[in-house]
PDB file of all heavy atoms in Angstrom:
ATOM      1  N   GLU A 290     -10.317   3.910  17.456  1.00 98.00           N
ATOM      2  CA  GLU A 290      -9.167   4.586  18.050  1.00 98.00           C
ATOM      3  C   GLU A 290      -8.469   5.400  16.964  1.00 98.00           C
ATOM      4  O   GLU A 290      -8.163   6.546  17.288  1.00 98.00           O
ATOM      5  CB  GLU A 290      -8.217   3.448  18.580  1.00 98.00           C
ATOM      6  CG  GLU A 290      -7.090   4.003  19.402  1.00 98.00           C
ATOM      7  CD  GLU A 290      -5.839   4.303  18.566  1.00 98.00           C
ATOM      8  OE1 GLU A 290      -5.546   3.710  17.551  1.00 98.00           O
ATOM      9  OE2 GLU A 290      -5.228   5.316  18.949  1.00 98.00           O
ATOM     10  N   LEU A 291      -8.340   4.869  15.767  1.00 98.00           N
ATOM     11  CA  LEU A 291      -7.626   5.660  14.698  1.00 98.00           C
ATOM     12  C   LEU A 291      -8.492   6.875  14.256  1.00 98.00           C
ATOM     13  O   LEU A 291      -7.948   7.939  14.126  1.00 98.00           O
ATOM     14  CB  LEU A 291      -7.337   4.794  13.538  1.00 98.00           C
ATOM     15  CG  LEU A 291      -6.638   5.402  12.335  1.00 98.00           C
ATOM     16  CD1 LEU A 291      -5.305   5.964  12.811  1.00 98.00           C
ATOM     17  CD2 LEU A 291      -6.450   4.429  11.216  1.00 98.00           C
ATOM     18  N   LEU A 292      -9.827   6.667  14.242  1.00 97.00           N
ATOM     19  CA  LEU A 292     -10.707   7.800  13.873  1.00 97.00           C
ATOM     20  C   LEU A 292     -10.637   8.942  14.927  1.00 97.00           C
ATOM     21  O   LEU A 292     -10.604  10.056  14.569  1.00 97.00           O
ATOM     22  CB  LEU A 292     -12.131   7.272  13.688  1.00 97.00           C
ATOM     23  CG  LEU A 292     -12.397   6.418  12.445  1.00 97.00           C
ATOM     24  CD1 LEU A 292     -13.730   5.725  12.461  1.00 97.00           C
ATOM     25  CD2 LEU A 292     -12.304   7.301  11.180  1.00 97.00           C
ATOM     26  N   ASN A 293     -10.621   8.549  16.161  1.00 96.00           N
ATOM     27  CA  ASN A 293     -10.554   9.498  17.242  1.00 96.00           C
ATOM     28  C   ASN A 293      -9.147  10.281  17.223  1.00 96.00           C
ATOM     29  O   ASN A 293      -9.133  11.453  17.478  1.00 96.00           O
ATOM     30  CB  ASN A 293     -10.846   8.893  18.575  1.00 96.00           C
ATOM     31  CG  ASN A 293     -12.351   8.692  18.724  1.00 96.00           C
ATOM     32  OD1 ASN A 293     -13.037   9.562  18.572  1.00 96.00           O
ATOM     33  ND2 ASN A 293     -12.686   7.506  19.110  1.00 96.00           N
ATOM     34  N   ARG A 294      -8.130   9.502  16.887  1.00 96.00           N
ATOM     35  CA  ARG A 294      -6.802  10.094  16.912  1.00 96.00           C
ATOM     36  C   ARG A 294      -6.635  11.104  15.816  1.00 96.00           C
ATOM     37  O   ARG A 294      -5.769  11.977  15.814  1.00 96.00           O
ATOM     38  CB  ARG A 294      -5.848   8.877  16.839  1.00 96.00           C
ATOM     39  CG  ARG A 294      -4.417   9.205  17.376  1.00 96.00           C
ATOM     40  CD  ARG A 294      -3.701   7.943  17.905  1.00 96.00           C
ATOM     41  NE  ARG A 294      -3.807   6.786  17.061  1.00 96.00           N
ATOM     42  CZ  ARG A 294      -3.010   6.446  16.120  1.00 96.00           C
ATOM     43  NH1 ARG A 294      -2.062   7.265  15.713  1.00 96.00           N
ATOM     44  NH2 ARG A 294      -3.155   5.358  15.442  1.00 96.00           N
ATOM     45  N   THR A 295      -7.355  10.896  14.672  1.00 96.00           N
ATOM     46  CA  THR A 295      -7.214  11.709  13.432  1.00 96.00           C
ATOM     47  C   THR A 295      -8.352  12.685  13.310  1.00 96.00           C
ATOM     48  O   THR A 295      -8.454  13.266  12.229  1.00 96.00           O
ATOM     49  CB  THR A 295      -7.097  10.792  12.214  1.00 96.00           C
ATOM     50  OG1 THR A 295      -8.257   9.970  12.205  1.00 96.00           O
ATOM     51  CG2 THR A 295      -5.880   9.948  12.300  1.00 96.00           C
ATOM     52  N   LYS A 296      -9.148  12.898  14.325  1.00 94.00           N
ATOM     53  CA  LYS A 296     -10.448  13.612  14.108  1.00 94.00           C
ATOM     54  C   LYS A 296     -10.246  15.100  13.831  1.00 94.00           C
ATOM     55  O   LYS A 296     -11.045  15.755  13.205  1.00 94.00           O
ATOM     56  CB  LYS A 296     -11.429  13.479  15.267  1.00 94.00           C
ATOM     57  CG  LYS A 296     -10.905  14.052  16.611  1.00 94.00           C
ATOM     58  CD  LYS A 296     -11.865  13.794  17.678  1.00 94.00           C
ATOM     59  CE  LYS A 296     -11.324  14.326  18.973  1.00 94.00           C
ATOM     60  NZ  LYS A 296     -12.134  13.790  20.090  1.00 94.00           N
ATOM     61  N   ASN A 297      -9.040  15.616  14.091  1.00 93.00           N
ATOM     62  CA  ASN A 297      -8.769  17.001  13.846  1.00 93.00           C
ATOM     63  C   ASN A 297      -8.189  17.289  12.441  1.00 93.00           C
ATOM     64  O   ASN A 297      -7.813  18.443  12.106  1.00 93.00           O
ATOM     65  CB  ASN A 297      -7.869  17.614  14.874  1.00 93.00           C
ATOM     66  CG  ASN A 297      -8.491  17.639  16.232  1.00 93.00           C
ATOM     67  OD1 ASN A 297      -9.694  17.799  16.355  1.00 93.00           O
ATOM     68  ND2 ASN A 297      -7.697  17.376  17.348  1.00 93.00           N
ATOM     69  N   TYR A 298      -8.146  16.281  11.630  1.00 95.00           N
ATOM     70  CA  TYR A 298      -7.564  16.339  10.306  1.00 95.00           C
ATOM     71  C   TYR A 298      -8.671  16.107   9.264  1.00 95.00           C
ATOM     72  O   TYR A 298      -8.986  15.001   8.985  1.00 95.00           O
ATOM     73  CB  TYR A 298      -6.433  15.375  10.092  1.00 95.00           C
ATOM     74  CG  TYR A 298      -5.231  15.666  10.930  1.00 95.00           C
ATOM     75  CD1 TYR A 298      -5.130  15.023  12.209  1.00 95.00           C
ATOM     76  CD2 TYR A 298      -4.263  16.648  10.586  1.00 95.00           C
ATOM     77  CE1 TYR A 298      -3.947  15.232  13.069  1.00 95.00           C
ATOM     78  CE2 TYR A 298      -3.141  16.904  11.428  1.00 95.00           C
ATOM     79  CZ  TYR A 298      -3.105  16.224  12.590  1.00 95.00           C
ATOM     80  OH  TYR A 298      -2.010  16.465  13.410  1.00 95.00           O
ATOM     81  N   PRO A 299      -9.255  17.227   8.644  1.00 94.00           N
ATOM     82  CA  PRO A 299     -10.426  17.002   7.664  1.00 94.00           C
ATOM     83  C   PRO A 299      -9.939  16.276   6.443  1.00 94.00           C
ATOM     84  O   PRO A 299     -10.731  15.705   5.663  1.00 94.00           O
ATOM     85  CB  PRO A 299     -10.772  18.383   7.346  1.00 94.00           C
ATOM     86  CG  PRO A 299     -10.149  19.342   8.356  1.00 94.00           C
ATOM     87  CD  PRO A 299      -9.051  18.593   8.896  1.00 94.00           C
ATOM     88  N   ASN A 300      -8.583  16.326   6.157  1.00 96.00           N
ATOM     89  CA  ASN A 300      -8.089  15.627   4.971  1.00 96.00           C
ATOM     90  C   ASN A 300      -7.863  14.040   5.091  1.00 96.00           C
ATOM     91  O   ASN A 300      -7.200  13.537   4.247  1.00 96.00           O
ATOM     92  CB  ASN A 300      -6.794  16.368   4.473  1.00 96.00           C
ATOM     93  CG  ASN A 300      -5.776  16.369   5.612  1.00 96.00           C
ATOM     94  OD1 ASN A 300      -6.023  16.368   6.754  1.00 96.00           O
ATOM     95  ND2 ASN A 300      -4.459  16.479   5.148  1.00 96.00           N
ATOM     96  N   PHE A 301      -8.316  13.513   6.194  1.00 97.00           N
ATOM     97  CA  PHE A 301      -8.065  12.060   6.400  1.00 97.00           C
ATOM     98  C   PHE A 301      -9.146  11.148   5.884  1.00 97.00           C
ATOM     99  O   PHE A 301     -10.216  11.449   6.213  1.00 97.00           O
ATOM    100  CB  PHE A 301      -7.784  11.804   7.924  1.00 97.00           C
ATOM    101  CG  PHE A 301      -7.493  10.436   8.225  1.00 97.00           C
ATOM    102  CD1 PHE A 301      -6.336   9.787   7.764  1.00 97.00           C
ATOM    103  CD2 PHE A 301      -8.302   9.602   8.998  1.00 97.00           C
ATOM    104  CE1 PHE A 301      -6.059   8.424   8.004  1.00 97.00           C
ATOM    105  CE2 PHE A 301      -8.004   8.326   9.233  1.00 97.00           C
ATOM    106  CZ  PHE A 301      -6.868   7.724   8.789  1.00 97.00           C
ATOM    107  N   VAL A 302      -8.718  10.132   5.184  1.00 97.00           N
ATOM    108  CA  VAL A 302      -9.668   9.102   4.706  1.00 97.00           C
ATOM    109  C   VAL A 302      -9.111   7.796   5.385  1.00 97.00           C
ATOM    110  O   VAL A 302      -7.993   7.389   5.184  1.00 97.00           O
ATOM    111  CB  VAL A 302      -9.729   8.953   3.220  1.00 97.00           C
ATOM    112  CG1 VAL A 302     -10.388   7.726   2.735  1.00 97.00           C
ATOM    113  CG2 VAL A 302     -10.259  10.249   2.623  1.00 97.00           C
ATOM    114  N   ILE A 303     -10.030   7.132   6.108  1.00 97.00           N
ATOM    115  CA  ILE A 303      -9.540   5.868   6.759  1.00 97.00           C
ATOM    116  C   ILE A 303      -9.567   4.732   5.727  1.00 97.00           C
ATOM    117  O   ILE A 303     -10.569   4.551   4.991  1.00 97.00           O
ATOM    118  CB  ILE A 303     -10.424   5.531   8.043  1.00 97.00           C
ATOM    119  CG1 ILE A 303      -9.731   4.475   8.836  1.00 97.00           C
ATOM    120  CG2 ILE A 303     -11.878   5.280   7.742  1.00 97.00           C
ATOM    121  CD1 ILE A 303     -10.156   4.411  10.282  1.00 97.00           C
TER     122      ILE A 303
END
Side-chain angles (χ1 to χ4, degrees):
Chain A
E290 189 274 325
L291 181 59
L292 288 167
N293 282 311
R294 204 152 43 88
T295 53
K296 65 183 176 191
N297 294 327
Y298 295 95
N300 55 334
F301 180 63
V302 171
I303 191 160

